[in-house]
Amino acid sequence: MRRDLPYALGGLALGVLLLGNAALTPDAATVEVLDVALVLAMAVALAACRRYPVVALGVVTVAMLAVHLRVHPGVSAAFPVLGAVYLAAWQGHRSAAVLASVVFLGGFLARDVSVAPPGQPGQVILERTALLFGWFVAANVAGLVGRQRRAYLEQVEQRAVEAERTREEMALRRAGEERLRIARDLHDSLTHSISVIKVQAGIAVHLARKHGEAPSAALLAIQEASGAAMRELRTTLDVLRAPTDADRVGLARVDELAQRTRAVGVPVQVTVTGQRGDLPDEVDQAGYRVIQEALTNVARHAGPATAHIQVEYAPAGLTVAVTDDGRASPGQPLTPGVGLRGMRERVSALGGTLRAGAHDDHGFTVRATFPLDGPR
């Protein structure tokens, strides 16, 4: 309601201006109770134009056209219509904004022509109509430009959020690359040298025993130490090449992800069905990332809502879904952003399917299915 308050105040201000102008205009008719009711209807419609832009535009256009035909308060009757046209175009209802502009301009011109005195030149009517036409064109264009700018800012913000969200993943990837580089360097620099020492010590021990001599204690110590060093080096290289469980993200950490989402004010429920088996690492991580991105979208776009995470394990596949009861509606157009495209690419790369859209009453659902029995 606080977000609707500026529109309501604007509608009241325009109503006061309209009634005041009607009282001061010499050729205006007397304002009656019906005219005041029409002005109040305009103010109420403007108060609701943020939620119902097309309905509000229709009410404002009809009310102001009726006031102009009955009272003829001048161009002030066009001001509320201009505001409603701009808001409708700004919210993407271009056809409704253009239609309302044409209807009001046609009615305005028809009334001026019908009541014009015989001696009044047509140039005055034409100039006033041309001025109003320019205002309506400017309102439509300004609404479209404002919508494009808002979409651009939302895209920039979404990219920034995406970059922030993937920063941890990039850091982990860089850490993995650094581990592999260290493993290669250790392998190239130490493995060969220690192997040579071990082989040479083994040959010396073998030759000493072949000639019936007892190998020296130092030689045996070198042989044993080189063997132990090789074993420890192989273990170290295996650790460097394979990240630890703490470095991985997967469905085992869904509860932790839900807890972080609850901390930002979004209630989250988690339901897990089926028996968890040995999932491929890429499928495990992709399922986690889909849930993570879907919860991010719920926090950013759904408004006051509750999210429900579903994880279903099956022998033939894995299904993850995030459903919310937010403000999305079935008729609302879906414009895929960076997050939805990234989820779809991630799922498709593993042979899965992703479905995202509003469900029957209100709210949004993201469902991803990964096959586990086919080629990957």
Side-chain angles (χ1 to χ4, degrees), residues 328-334 358-359:
S329 57
Q332 183 176 356
L334 175 62
H359 40 82

Side-chain angles (χ1 to χ4, degrees), residues 156-167:
V156 171
E157 181 183 358
Q158 189 172 1
R159 289 178 180 175
V161 172
E162 181 72 12
E164 182 70 21
R165 186 182 63 81
T166 57
R167 182 176 300 176

Side-chain angles (χ1 to χ4, degrees), residues 329-348:
S329 57
Q332 183 176 356
L334 175 62
T335 303
V338 177
L340 277 178
R341 288 198 298 268
M343 283 192 287
R344 194 174 300 279
E345 292 169 359
R346 187 188 295 271
V347 174
S348 300

Side-chain angles (χ1 to χ4, degrees), residues 273 275 279 283 312-320 368-374:
T273 58
Q275 184 67 31
L279 296 176
V283 173
E312 180 180 353
Y313 297 102
L318 168 71
T319 301
V320 296
T369 303
F370 301 91
L372 298 179
D373 56 348

Side-chain angles (χ1 to χ4, degrees), residues 90 147-161 300-301 338:
W90 182 65
R147 178 174 177 80
Q148 293 295 330
R149 181 176 181 274
R150 183 182 64 173
Y152 171 75
L153 292 178
E154 289 179 352
Q155 188 75 5
V156 171
E157 181 183 358
Q158 189 172 1
R159 289 178 180 175
V161 172
R300 294 182 63 242
H301 302 299
V338 177

